[in-house]
Amino acid sequence: MMIERALKLRQALHNLASSDRDLSKYLLSDDEWNCIIEIHELLQVCNLLTIFILKFILINIILLYSILKKDLISLLDSYILLLLLAFQLIILY
């Protein structure tokens, strides 16, 4: 994540911006860095929540699929048996 990288390189970014007159307008104050830290923490919580929700949805989809698959196979087996019985009745009569 870009914010995480910026936080790791905070001192290097500060040194770079301080050493160049054209870049000095991009120097961040301590309050701005604190704001970035808070945003980073909020995004980490949102990321964890998103992962949790996606895992929950995926588990339920897999569970529902396995239930439906069993029911579908059972239904198809019954249908095939009915067709075989009907075919035997047609042949016998």
Side-chain angles (χ1 to χ4, degrees):
M1 183 184 286
M2 187 183 291
I3 293 176
E4 194 170 329
R5 189 79 170 144
L7 290 171
K8 287 181 182 178
L9 297 173
R10 179 178 176 173
Q11 189 60 48
L13 292 171
H14 178 78
N15 293 343
L16 179 66
S18 298
S19 66
D20 189 325
R21 187 174 47 145
D22 294 331
L23 295 177
S24 64
K25 61 184 174 187
Y26 298 112
L27 278 171
L28 298 178
S29 68
D30 287 338
D31 288 339
E32 290 170 323
W33 278 110
N34 289 334
C35 184
I36 290 172
I37 291 169
E38 289 177 16
I39 291 170
H40 180 253
E41 290 171 356
L42 176 66
L43 288 175
Q44 284 181 320
V45 171
C46 291
N47 186 41
L48 289 174
L49 184 60
T50 301
I51 291 169
F52 174 77
I53 290 171
L54 288 176
K55 284 182 179 180
F56 178 77
I57 290 171
L58 184 61
I59 288 169
N60 284 315
I61 288 172
I62 291 170
L63 180 61
L64 182 62
Y65 172 76
S66 63
I67 291 169
L68 290 175
K69 184 178 174 185
K70 287 178 186 176
D71 288 345
L72 183 61
I73 290 171
S74 176
L75 188 65
L76 286 174
D77 287 344
S78 300
Y79 183 71
I80 291 170
L81 283 174
L82 286 173
L83 285 176
L84 288 173
L85 286 173
F87 186 68
Q88 286 177 349
L89 287 173
I90 292 170
I91 292 175
L92 292 174
Y93 293 101

